[in-house]
């Protein structure tokens, strides 16, 4: 995509539709899966046939974990991701003043509950807040106007068991949990702490205050009758390990490494889902230009071993195979992206998101576009602030065959 500076692209209809029909090629996703901002701490959720991905946001130029809001993306094909913007930020929690860190979203009672760690202004310690929304993309509002639970620890995660009992896990340096009530915004009993042993979470040497590999970022789930706790292990830099149990509260058995240390980030943080017959492992790394505090979310497809154990997974730049195709004959939002260069997204005054800040040579790539018998027209809604704007549609790459262009005479 090319245009003059300050161009805005509100949406695209019939993406690349003037190109020759494309065969069903084995398209692969690109890692990291977002390039318009830095993202971290992925929390995927499957809902109504779509994957929703909730992330934190490392601010540009961060030299610490400077994070002020959270973001949502979604996909139906694991290759093209739609940016839904930031439906929740620190200001959502009037009692919080810093640290919009790793959260998790659970769906229940027809609502979406987003559990996040933030710094409590009154105490100066980290607390777990909960926001609620009626849609997976928000908006979200503080459900309690106070912390849900507080012990100066981080990284909440929720598992809803088959009997309906929900557990909220979190913790660094300990692994804590409470039993949530059915309203998902209160709990019964006190805070319980998992007994961290070498047999349960792997033995660490040289650190008497942390005798096991468990560090932070628990991701607890149940699959085929087996309970898993995936966690970031032994900072710094961290690797991803996991333990299993026959109940949601243990006792746990350490199973080993999932993702070794790699990727140029001090931390890692995992999320695992099953989707359209495949299993997917989300994580973050330092693949985009920046540093250890400017992280980016990526994803890999994997298969469980026959006994339910998880194989070693390495980071790739290719990512998983695309699970479907993009329909060019339906309206497709410009912020649905497989890869981009130079552009950013912004909230639209009409709702939704725009692609903006476009300069000469910037582009957006979409993958697996299903043209069928072909198409003869392309429609885009765009605006240019300076004139001489131009959108080019190219096949295969940013320098591929030019199929059509739209100049500034067509812009609104």
């Amino acid at each position: 995509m090319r245009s003059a500076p300050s161009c805005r692209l509100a949406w695209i209809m019939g993406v690349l539709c003037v190109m020759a029909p494309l065969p069903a090629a084995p398209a692969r996703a690109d890692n990291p899966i977002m390039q318009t901002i830095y993202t971290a701490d992925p929390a995927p959720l499957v809902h109504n046939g779509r994957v929703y991905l909730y992330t934190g946001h490392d601010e540009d130029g961060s030299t610490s974990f400077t994070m002020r809001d959270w973001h949502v993306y979604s996909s139906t094909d694991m290759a093209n991701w739609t940016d839904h913007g930031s439906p929740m930020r620190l200001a959502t929690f009037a009692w919080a003043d810093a640290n919009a860190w790793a959260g998790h979203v659970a769906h229940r009672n027809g609502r979406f509950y987003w559990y996040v760690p933030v710094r409590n202004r009154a105490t100066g310690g980290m607390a777990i807040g909960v926001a609620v929304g009626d849609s997976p993309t928000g908006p979200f509002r503080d459900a309690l106007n106070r912390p849900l639970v507080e012990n100066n620890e981080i990284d909440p995660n929720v598992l809803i068991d088959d009997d309906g009992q929900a557990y909220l896990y979190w913790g660094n340096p300990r692994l804590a949990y409470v039993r949530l009530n059915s309203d998902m915004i209160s709990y019964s009993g006190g805070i319980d702490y998992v007994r961290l042993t070498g047999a349960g979470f792997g033995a660490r040497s040289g650190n008497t205050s942390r005798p096991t590999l468990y560090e932070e970022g628990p991701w607890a789930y149940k699959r085929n009758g087996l309970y898993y706790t995936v966690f970031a292990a032994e900072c710094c830099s961290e690797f991803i390990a996991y333990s299993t149990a026959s109940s949601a509260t243990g006792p746990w058995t350490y199973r080993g490494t999932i993702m070794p240390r790699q990727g140029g980030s001090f931390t890692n943080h995992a999320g695992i889902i099953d989707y359209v017959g495949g299993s997917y492992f989300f994580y973050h790394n330092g693949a985009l230009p920046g540093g250890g505090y400017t992280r980016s979310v990526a994803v890999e497809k994997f298969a469980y071993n026959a006994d339910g154990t998880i194989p070693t997974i390495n980071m790739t730049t290719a990512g998983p195979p695309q699970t479907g195709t993009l329909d060019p004959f339906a309206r497709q939002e410009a912020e649905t992206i497989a890869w981009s260069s130079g552009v950013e997204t912004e909230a639209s005054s009409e709702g939704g998101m725009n692609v903006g800040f476009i300069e000469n040579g910037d582009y957006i790539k979409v993958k697996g576009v299903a043209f069928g018998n072909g198409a003869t027209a392309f429609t885009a809604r765009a605006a240019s602030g300076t004139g001489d704007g131009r959108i080019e549609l190219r096949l295969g790459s940013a320098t591929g065959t030019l199929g059509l262009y739209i100049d500034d005479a067509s812009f609104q």
Side-chain angles (χ1 to χ4, degrees), residues 102-104 115-117 126-129 148-159 167-180 187 189-194 196 214-220 229 269:
H104 182 249
Y115 302 85
V116 291
M126 293 299 294
I128 307 301
L148 169 62
V149 65
E150 183 170 2
N151 68 346
N152 198 29
E153 298 193 35
I154 60 174
D155 294 353
N157 169 257
V158 171
L159 179 154
Y167 298 85
L168 172 68
Y169 305 87
W170 77 101
N172 176 346
R174 299 170 293 182
L175 177 54
Y177 68 92
V178 295
R179 292 172 171 84
L180 291 171
Y187 60 93
I191 299 175
D192 291 306
Y193 290 91
V194 175
L196 297 176
Y214 176 83
E215 188 78 25
E216 60 185 351
W219 182 270
T229 292
H269 191 108

Side-chain angles (χ1 to χ4, degrees), residues 44-55:
L45 171 71
V46 178
H47 178 70
N48 286 347
R50 195 171 187 94
V51 177
Y52 291 89
L53 180 62
Y54 302 87
T55 78

Side-chain angles (χ1 to χ4, degrees), residues 15-106:
V15 177
L16 300 179
C17 65
V18 300
M19 302 299 186
L22 288 181
R28 300 190 65 83
D30 295 292
N31 277 331
I33 54 181
M34 291 91 192
Q35 309 86 39
T36 54
I37 62 170
Y38 295 112
T39 53
D41 306 319
L45 171 71
V46 178
H47 178 70
N48 286 347
R50 195 171 187 94
V51 177
Y52 291 89
L53 180 62
Y54 302 87
T55 78
H57 171 208
D58 289 332
E59 295 291 333
D60 289 358
S62 290
T63 57
S64 183
F65 298 111
T66 305
M67 307 173 77
R68 303 187 183 100
D69 58 6
W70 298 267
H71 288 249
V72 184
Y73 303 84
S74 72
S75 179
T76 58
D77 62 13
M78 303 302 293
N80 299 296
W81 291 86
T82 300
D83 185 345
H84 299 284
S86 173
M88 194 170 78
R89 55 191 63 245
L90 277 173
T92 302
F93 303 94
W95 48 272
D97 65 356
N99 300 347
W101 289 353
H104 182 249
V105 175

Side-chain angles (χ1 to χ4, degrees), residues 205-222:
S205 61
N207 188 338
T208 57
S209 65
R210 291 180 183 261
T212 76
L213 295 174
Y214 176 83
E215 188 78 25
E216 60 185 351
W219 182 270
Y221 65 101
K222 184 180 184 181

Side-chain angles (χ1 to χ4, degrees), residues 231-258:
F231 56 91
E234 197 179 37
C235 187
C236 288
S237 61
E238 294 173 339
F239 64 96
I240 301 297
Y242 78 112
S243 303
T244 63
S246 58
S247 80
T249 58
W252 298 93
T253 300
Y254 181 62
R255 296 299 184 185
T257 297
I258 299 175

Side-chain angles (χ1 to χ4, degrees), residues 233 237-241 256-265 267-268 281 283-284 311-315:
S237 61
E238 294 173 339
F239 64 96
I240 301 297
T257 297
I258 299 175
M259 178 168 279
R261 290 183 175 95
Q262 52 192 266
S265 172
T267 65
N268 203 345
F281 181 88
Y283 60 96
H284 68 229
T312 300
I313 302 170
N314 289 301
M315 300 181 186

Side-chain angles (χ1 to χ4, degrees), residues 18 22 37 64 122 141 183 225 241 252 320 323 329 387 390 395 401 409:
V18 300
L22 288 181
I37 62 170
S64 183
R141 59 192 180 279
D183 64 7
W252 298 93
T323 63
F329 302 104
R390 176 179 168 110
L395 181 63
T401 302

